[in-house]
Amino acid sequence: MRLLRLLALAALASQPEVAGGAETVGNSSVGIIEFSVGKFRYFKLNRPFPEEAILRDISSNVTFLIFQIHSQYQNTTISFSKTVLPSNSGTGTDKGLVFILRPEQSMCFWYLETSDAEPVQNVAIPIPYSERDPIPGGCNLEFDLDIDPNIYLEYDFFETTIKFAPANLGYARGTESPPCDTRTGQDSRWRLQYDVYQYFLPENDLTEEGLLKHLQRMAEVPQVIASAIKVVTLTANDKTTVSFSSLPGQGVIYNVIVWDPFLNTSAAYVPAHTYACSFDTVEGNCSSLGLVTRFRECRGELVTWKESEQLLLPAVFADLWLGCFKLFFIGFIFMGFFFYILITRLTPVKYDVRLILTAIAGSAGGIFLVAAWWRFGILTLCMLCVGLVLGCLVSSVTFFTPLGNLTIFNNDSVFWVTFSCIAVLIPGVFMGCLRILNILTCGFIGSYSVVLAVDSYMYTSLSYITLNVLKRALSTHFRSAVTNVPLQTNDFIILAVWGMLAVSGITLQIRRERGRRYFPPHPYKLWKQERERRVTNILDPSYHIPPLRERLYSRLTQIRELFQKDQPAGERTPLLL
């Protein structure tokens, strides 16, 4: 048996390698896959056929290896032995093991398998490290493996959370590992720092080939630093947990680099990826997120703000004399937004019921605002609501920038006070010029509805300008989430369209309003003036129009005559002779 294994290894060694940093191989007929240090290898795993992996010619200056394996959504199991136990294996889409090498050891084995019925496409790489490099997960006390270099990822509709085990200092072959918690000085693992990196896949890219290609940029330290965005730096005193805003349908890869500032060395954990959606389920499947049903399935309760704002598109070019139309939708947004937050936080009703009740409450708010203008002409109240909606959008844009990720805004009180101050500042500044306030609101809010409409059919990160605020209002845990989003080609195009629509709409309305009255009188006042004019002016043809009561009676009489029989012509009695 040993002779057969040696012959198989000799046959594998005689095969030519693929040029570049990655090797490609199919299923091995003898169940053995050979790897090279620092090179990626593609292969497929089948359920009935576990594979044995081998790495040879390990250099003597390598103290430990991290072997990592990745797939898109099908689970793969990697273990130290053929007998799979929680303490010697890991199962998932992004998993790895740390091999602490013994003196004179130049070869190591491990085992790969999958329980999925379909073949699983994988990419894997063994990465070497020296005795000066820190060991990722070397002080693990939470997870099953003794040394766990993996990043554990969880997500829901609101946030994505990553967890990892603390690292330990490196050490030479054949020596004991440094203790983890016996001392806290600069000669212990407490001097280590952790840099958390985030890498966005191209928008709308759900392909397996694309993911495995981009994962190669997040495996080793130099590529991670060059390709990804550093989000936060943690010290040994911080919790090894970081939360991010969930982006359904957007591929994101996370990794952590542990850095030893004393020796100026570093090592990378095993990267983890997510789309914040599932490839296995029928409802909420990642492939259906580009359809109109995307928010119903994956974003759930976050759809309300988007639906209400899409109704404001005609307001971009509408003038002040169509005020009732615009006031209705401003009132709809204003009332619907706050009512939805209230009913979601305080009641356990289902999504469909919440949506119906929000539509009713929003319509009631729109009708109230229109009635306040139509009957009483309360201009200040109406323009205050208009200004607050514009202020909320400006405040949301402010927190959409890197300012929103400042640590001070993790406190809910600081965040909402700052948000409210910016929202109230806008109507406060323009209260002396209500016409400009109304025009600016119609231009910016109406054109932003185009962004939301586009996001219902294709992905754009600009929709998270308002969605992040709504998430913050609905989820108490979202306060600590990092709200980074990718800004790629689609986003810049839609941003240009948003700006063009806003500028053109504002310019057109300003030109239309030249020479017109400051604000049109409210409709009820116009109706009263018209009625008084008709009463006093007998030369007006409308003066001779009968009252409404007489006109209705005359109409009913005409209808009644339609159902009466015609009387016969001539006399009914004979003539007297």
Side-chain angles (χ1 to χ4, degrees), residues 171-226:
Y171 54 95
R173 293 192 188 192
T175 61
E176 293 292 329
S177 63
C180 289
D181 295 317
T182 57
R183 54 184 186 272
T184 59
Q186 290 299 311
D187 58 343
S188 67
R189 64 104 176 173
W190 293 91
R191 74 190 188 204
L192 300 177
Q193 298 180 4
Y194 304 88
D195 295 331
V196 181
Y197 285 82
Q198 186 180 35
Y199 180 87
F200 295 106
L201 299 180
E203 292 177 351
N204 299 316
D205 185 2
L206 301 177
T207 61
E208 182 178 68
E209 179 183 359
L211 170 67
L212 299 182
K213 175 183 176 182
H214 288 282
L215 274 169
Q216 298 180 28
R217 301 180 181 178
M218 292 292 289
E220 300 180 83
V221 173
Q223 286 81 359
V224 173
I225 296 175

Side-chain angles (χ1 to χ4, degrees), residues 254-309:
Y254 302 98
N255 205 348
V256 178
I257 292 179
V258 54
W259 177 54
D260 186 343
F262 186 77
L263 299 176
N264 195 25
T265 56
S266 57
Y269 281 70
V270 177
H273 76 278
T274 181
Y275 296 91
C277 56
S278 175
F279 283 88
D280 297 326
T281 59
V282 176
E283 183 178 359
N285 192 281
C286 291
S287 60
S288 67
L289 295 182
L291 306 176
V292 180
T293 58
R294 167 182 181 178
F295 301 102
R296 177 69 171 86
E297 295 175 346
C298 279
R299 289 188 181 174
E301 47 273 275
L302 304 181
V303 70
T304 306
W305 175 256
K306 303 172 73 65
E307 287 182 345
S308 60
E309 277 204 332

Side-chain angles (χ1 to χ4, degrees), residues 100-268:
I100 303 298
L101 301 177
R102 301 184 302 274
E104 307 300 329
Q105 183 180 357
S106 62
M107 181 184 300
C108 59
F109 297 88
W110 59 93
Y111 300 87
L112 309 172
E113 64 179 51
T114 181
S115 59
D116 202 280
E118 298 294 328
V120 182
Q121 179 69 49
N122 298 96
V123 63
I125 181 175
I127 302 177
Y129 291 97
S130 68
E131 63 183 67
R132 295 170 57 88
D133 298 320
I135 303 175
C139 286
N140 172 44
L141 297 175
E142 181 178 358
F143 308 109
D144 293 327
L145 293 171
D146 291 335
I147 301 177
D148 196 337
N150 298 294
I151 296 174
Y152 293 85
L153 187 147
E154 299 175 351
Y155 71 88
D156 56 22
F157 291 144
F158 297 99
E159 60 181 343
T160 298
T161 303
I162 63 171
K163 301 178 181 179
F164 57 94
N168 197 2
L169 299 178
Y171 54 95
R173 293 192 188 192
T175 61
E176 293 292 329
S177 63
C180 289
D181 295 317
T182 57
R183 54 184 186 272
T184 59
Q186 290 299 311
D187 58 343
S188 67
R189 64 104 176 173
W190 293 91
R191 74 190 188 204
L192 300 177
Q193 298 180 4
Y194 304 88
D195 295 331
V196 181
Y197 285 82
Q198 186 180 35
Y199 180 87
F200 295 106
L201 299 180
E203 292 177 351
N204 299 316
D205 185 2
L206 301 177
T207 61
E208 182 178 68
E209 179 183 359
L211 170 67
L212 299 182
K213 175 183 176 182
H214 288 282
L215 274 169
Q216 298 180 28
R217 301 180 181 178
M218 292 292 289
E220 300 180 83
V221 173
Q223 286 81 359
V224 173
I225 296 175
S227 304
I229 302 170
K230 184 166 73 171
V231 177
V232 65
T233 298
L234 304 176
T235 64
N237 296 318
D238 297 322
K239 292 183 63 176
T240 54
T241 301
V242 183
S243 295
F244 300 84
S245 174
S246 290
L247 308 174
Q250 171 63 51
V252 188
I253 304 174
Y254 302 98
N255 205 348
V256 178
I257 292 179
V258 54
W259 177 54
D260 186 343
F262 186 77
L263 299 176
N264 195 25
T265 56
S266 57

